[in-house]
Amino acid sequence: MDAGGSRVADLVLEGGGVKGIALTGAIGAFDEQGWSFPRIAGTSAGAIVGSVLAALQTGGEPMSQVVEIAKTLDYRRFRDRGFPGNVLGPLGVLTDPFSVLVEQGVYEGDYLHDWLRGVLADLGVKTFGDLKRVDPDGDGHVHHEYGLVVTASDISRKRLAYLPWDYADYGLDPDEQHVADAVRASASIPYFFEPVTLEGAHGASTLVDGGLLSNYPISAFDRLDELPPRWATVGVRLDALGIAAEPDPKPVRNVVTMGLALVETAIEANQAEHVLDPCNIARSVYVDTHGFGTVDFTIDAEQQQELIDRGRAAAETFLAGWDYDAWLARCRPAWVR
């Protein structure tokens, strides 16, 4: 439990493509024990699940619905080639190199964007203004002002973008920006999906998968003032701690697998030290997704249920041993002692 015995925490959800359905199982376990999440951060698949969860909570709907909503995704439609690839059927693969050269990605990403926009609209959420929250006891910074933040990698400005927090840097009103647009950017696996162009006051920026720079932003909501946290931040990761220490080598055979390999390598290199900090390990749920690939979009219903069950089991194990007061006593910064 959190300080004072309440079951409140900010939530961070790691990216991982298809494996992200395991996040819904973990959320289901938290929900069954009465937890709520004032703020949610996510990257890529974590951004997709996190946006739906934030919308459910904003509308007063049960968090448990996130599992059934996730099951309405048709993963096979993620491979939505543009013209002429979409009319060539199995031969569409022949157009993939051309799509990468011209549009910087094999697939359009329209199915994901349209599906999410529809789901959020049904829950009464369109823009980040719909997820804005009043928090007079926050630390006064923008990262406590919204119920959702997603990460994207701005390769034009060579920086990590936290959306909606950073929209002002682009000369845009955060409250007017569409949630589905930001999530689509967060999930733009390089070379796999076409990148997203963000038009701002200083020109156009190209946004790709947030996991390139921060796949697990576990410290996103940590206070920036000299007051102790009111509640914990907990996160859900899509691997089991220690299982993938020595992964089997994966052949890189084409431009798409090279793009995926580049992203995965950057993720591991950029976040290894931060994520493996003992205090961040202690506040993280580790879901064993071994055997599932990031872009296994042929995953069937039985496999999806297995991932959901793994997520639920991992969260139940975490909650059985979670002690916020013990974590705070060991890990809080020196200035709050």
Side-chain angles (χ1 to χ4, degrees), residues 84-169:
N86 61 343
V87 299
L88 292 177
L91 295 179
V93 67
L94 299 176
T95 69
D96 291 351
F98 180 77
S99 296
V100 171
L101 286 172
V102 175
E103 297 181 315
Q104 294 81 53
V106 172
Y107 304 109
E108 301 286 308
D110 290 341
Y111 169 71
L112 168 61
H113 181 267
D114 294 345
W115 174 86
L116 183 61
R117 184 173 57 186
V119 168
L120 295 179
D122 289 343
L123 295 171
V125 170
K126 181 179 181 181
T127 67
F128 280 100
D130 297 320
L131 297 175
K132 198 163 187 176
R133 60 191 308 274
V134 177
D135 188 0
D137 296 322
D139 62 13
H141 294 269
V142 68
H143 72 155
H144 282 181
E145 292 181 0
Y146 292 88
L148 174 72
V149 62
V150 303
T151 66
S153 299
D154 183 340
I155 59 175
S156 298
R157 303 175 74 183
K158 298 177 178 61
R159 54 167 285 185
L160 180 66
Y162 288 91
L163 306 176
W165 304 346
D166 291 339
Y167 276 125
D169 294 344

Side-chain angles (χ1 to χ4, degrees), residues 42-44 47-48 51-52 108-121 125-131 148-153 161-164 167 170 172-189 193-199 205-210:
T43 298
S44 196
I48 298 170
S51 65
V52 175
E108 301 286 308
D110 290 341
Y111 169 71
L112 168 61
H113 181 267
D114 294 345
W115 174 86
L116 183 61
R117 184 173 57 186
V119 168
L120 295 179
V125 170
K126 181 179 181 181
T127 67
F128 280 100
D130 297 320
L131 297 175
L148 174 72
V149 62
V150 303
T151 66
S153 299
Y162 288 91
L163 306 176
Y167 276 125
Y170 295 89
L172 301 171
D173 182 350
D175 292 355
E176 296 298 319
Q177 307 310 308
H178 288 220
V179 176
D181 292 351
V183 174
R184 169 63 180 82
S186 182
S188 297
I189 302 171
F193 287 123
E194 293 178 15
V196 170
T197 299
L198 179 62
E199 299 282 353
S205 285
T206 298
L207 305 183
V208 299
D209 197 316

Side-chain angles (χ1 to χ4, degrees), residues 69 116 216:
I69 290 173
L116 183 61
Y216 185 56

